Amino acid sequence: MRNLVATFPSPMPSQKAEKRILVAIWVYFGLLIFEGALRKWVLPQLSAPLLVVRDPVVLYMYWQAWQAGVFPRNRWITIIFGLSIAFTLGGLLVPLLTSEGLGGGIPISRSLLIIAYGIRTNFLHLPLIFLMARVLSFQDVIKIGRWILIAGIPIALLMILQFGLPSNHILNVGAGGEEAVQIQAALGRIRPPGPFTFISGPIGYMPLMTAFLLYGLLTPGSFSPMLLISSSLGLGAATVVSISRSLLGSVLIVFFIGLLTTYFNRPQLVKQISKIIVILSIVSFAIILFDTLLSGEESFLDQGLATFQARVTTAGRSEGGFEGFVARFLSGFDPFARIDGSLPLFGFGVGLGTNTGAALVTGQRTFLLGAEGEWDRIVVESGPILGLSFILLRVSLAVWLGMLSFSQIKMGNILSWLLFTTCAINLSIGQFGPPTSLGFAIFSSGLCLSACQGWLKMQYKNSPNT
């Protein structure tokens, strides 16, 4: 057991610094959920500055850790720091090496602002993964999971309301209080974002909810039965009305991969898995029955399923059927797709591929470089050498987290693996440009590593040989 704990040899921070960082992690979590509400309803006039509302919290945590002498120091942090410097230098060279300059001859002051935002997007939040693991205990992760399940219930109810309301209703406004800016799905419906700015929020939130729900069902006593039933109902309803294939796919990935790996690596939980199937069947029947009794023929469930089916049909036609959908999905995993003779060595400018960077140039939030995929954005922004290096860092970090969490399943820790299924795709290929997507990629990865480290420390503390 001592060898396992040696995987994380760094000391814990002082008690005062630990408490401050722990409080800041909860603030980060709260802002991740309510940032959209602030930008849409509370302070719409400050929508642009609120894009980076979590950044001061992150910097505060880093400062506290640095002051206490416990800022994470490992090979990952070294690579992140080194690449951030290289990206900064590369971004500064772009205006000097191209005839038109960054963004087509824009002022150097604005170029520096775009570069700073690009570095912030790629690197600022990554060390938080390791700082969370330094501070959070296994029980802290469980507490966060409990609140994820609790908050998921009103989020689901809000999504149901938004689904049934017109796109110009106050509950369906976008950032800055703009009307009719939510993504249209089908049959005149929008993709309800809940309290988040856009549907990317529920896409990041619901898989986390699924992971903790599964953990609660597989580990009796971790959460109350009433909370598990209520959150199951909320998760099912939110998935139906989301009209999002990405959300549905993410939830199914967590559910099936989590159950299958648990089944093959923890056979003693087979009876518990059977109970889960029975419980979820009952929950599904309850959703249908409640929906029918409450709404009659015009039930939100029927409307949601009909809209979802229409969305899938329309998207299938535009993509060329299932084969086209698979080809489109896999194309996002090709880092060499945009590397050709027209791509400068250091790209067109770090930060220019984000919506915010484009807004600083054109005044509109758009894909200025034509790179909607994350790996496309990275390579086009920073060139083949730096871009591929950053992609390799993210993929390697995801693989390392996967190996670490998978190795603990047979030892009794299934939570870290369930959490890994929520962060693997987001960490390796998910978009870092949208602040909400970045927040969930980092926070879920931090929870995964915290569950790994916290469980090892708990086992070491309870070991009779210590």
Side-chain angles (χ1 to χ4, degrees):
M1 188 61 68
R2 292 179 183 272
N3 292 333
L4 290 175
V5 177
T7 308
F8 307 95
S10 303
M12 284 292 289
S14 66
Q15 188 174 9
K16 182 182 264 188
E18 178 185 354
K19 288 182 178 180
R20 289 174 177 173
I21 297 172
L22 182 60
V23 170
I25 290 173
W26 280 95
V27 172
Y28 185 97
F29 171 54
L31 288 174
L32 184 57
I33 296 177
F34 295 110
E35 169 206 306
L38 293 174
R39 297 181 63 203
K40 294 190 297 185
W41 302 313
V42 182
L43 297 169
Q45 68 276 13
L46 298 178
S47 175
L50 287 172
L51 272 171
V52 293
V53 68
R54 290 188 307 276
D55 290 9
V57 181
V58 173
L59 293 173
Y60 171 79
M61 287 189 275
Y62 291 167
W63 174 250
Q64 287 293 320
W66 187 269
Q67 287 287 91
V70 292
F71 190 85
R73 297 179 182 179
N74 53 51
R75 65 182 183 274
W76 297 110
I77 296 296
T78 301
I79 295 173
I80 291 169
F81 183 71
L83 275 180
S84 66
I85 294 176
F87 268 64
T88 302
L89 295 176
L92 293 173
L93 286 173
V94 168
L96 302 177
L97 297 179
T98 59
S99 58
E100 296 182 349
L102 179 66
I106 64 175
I108 187 65
S109 59
R110 189 166 295 183
S111 296
L112 293 176
L113 185 59
I114 295 172
I115 292 171
Y117 188 81
I119 299 302
R120 168 260 175 205
T121 297
N122 290 345
F123 299 105
L124 178 62
H125 291 237
L126 277 175
L128 182 59
I129 296 172
F130 303 93
L131 185 56
M132 287 177 64
R134 181 72 63 84
V135 173
L136 294 177
S137 66
F138 191 83
Q139 290 306 314
D140 288 327
V141 177
I142 297 297
K143 289 177 184 177
I144 292 175
R146 181 176 293 109
W147 279 103
I148 286 175
L149 294 178
I150 292 173
I153 299 169
I155 288 176
L157 292 174
L158 178 57
M159 291 177 66
I160 293 172
L161 285 174
Q162 291 169 329
F163 173 79
L165 293 170
S167 60
N168 60 352
H169 193 275
I170 183 63
L171 289 181
N172 285 330
V173 297
E178 293 185 56
E179 295 182 356
V181 296
Q182 295 296 340
I183 300 176
Q184 294 292 320
L187 303 181
R189 304 283 185 177
I190 65 161
R191 301 182 196 178
F196 304 98
T197 309
F198 297 106
I199 190 62
S200 57
I203 290 174
Y205 190 92
M206 294 305 164
L208 268 177
M209 192 175 175
T210 306
F212 282 107
L213 177 60
L214 262 183
Y215 177 76
L217 294 173
L218 289 168
T219 313
S222 52
F223 305 118
S224 70
M226 184 58 66
L227 177 58
L228 293 176
I229 294 173
S230 302
S231 57
S232 297
L233 292 169
L235 177 62
T239 302
V240 170
V241 301
S242 70
I243 325 173
S244 169
R245 294 178 298 169
S246 296
L247 191 153
L248 176 62
S250 300
V251 168
L252 291 179
I253 285 174
V254 176
F255 184 79
F256 285 110
I257 292 182
L259 281 185
L260 287 174
T261 51
T262 301
Y263 174 80
F264 287 110
N265 292 276
R266 297 289 307 282
Q268 62 270 39
L269 293 178
V270 171
K271 183 181 292 186
Q272 197 64 28
I273 293 175
S274 301
K275 290 181 181 179
I276 291 176
I277 296 175
V278 174
I279 291 173
L280 292 181
S281 299
I282 296 174
V283 167
S284 300
F285 176 76
I287 292 176
I288 296 173
L289 180 62
F290 177 77
D291 181 57
T292 303
L293 293 175
L294 183 66
S295 307
E297 295 182 359
E298 296 294 326
S299 66
F300 84 85
L301 184 61
D302 291 337
Q303 296 175 31
L305 291 174
T307 308
F308 217 131
Q309 183 178 5
R311 162 63 185 157
V312 171
T313 302
T314 303
R317 289 172 182 169
S318 63
E319 294 168 345
F322 181 74
E323 293 181 359
F325 170 75
V326 173
R328 177 173 171 267
F329 176 77
L330 294 179
S331 65
F333 290 87
D334 183 6
F336 302 99
R338 297 293 294 271
I339 298 178
D340 54 34
S342 64
L343 180 64
L345 180 62
F346 293 106
F348 292 100
V350 60
L352 201 60
T354 63
N355 286 337
T356 300
L360 290 172
V361 177
T362 66
Q364 297 180 342
R365 298 177 62 80
T366 183
F367 296 103
L368 183 61
L369 300 179
E372 295 188 31
E374 180 69 355
W375 285 4
D376 281 352
R377 175 191 72 83
I378 295 170
V379 171
V380 173
E381 277 190 352
S382 304
I385 299 175
L386 292 179
L388 292 176
S389 298
F390 184 48
I391 290 172
L392 181 61
L393 166 66
R394 288 176 56 173
V395 172
S396 299
L397 183 55
V399 171
W400 176 72
L401 268 179
M403 294 174 62
L404 191 62
S405 56
F406 186 79
S407 67
Q408 294 189 2
I409 297 177
K410 289 186 177 181
M411 302 176 192
N413 179 17
I414 60 174
L415 178 58
S416 57
W417 175 254
L418 292 173
L419 289 170
F420 171 72
T421 61
T422 72
C423 70
I425 293 179
N426 291 333
L427 183 59
S428 58
I429 197 173
Q431 292 187 340
F432 276 15
T436 302
S437 300
L438 170 64
F440 276 111
I442 298 301
F443 195 72
S444 57
S445 300
L447 289 177
C448 174
L449 186 57
S450 299
C452 288
Q453 179 173 353
W455 186 84
L456 290 176
K457 289 179 179 178
M458 186 172 61
Q459 297 302 307
Y460 175 71
K461 181 178 180 181
N462 296 332
S463 175
N465 298 323
T466 57

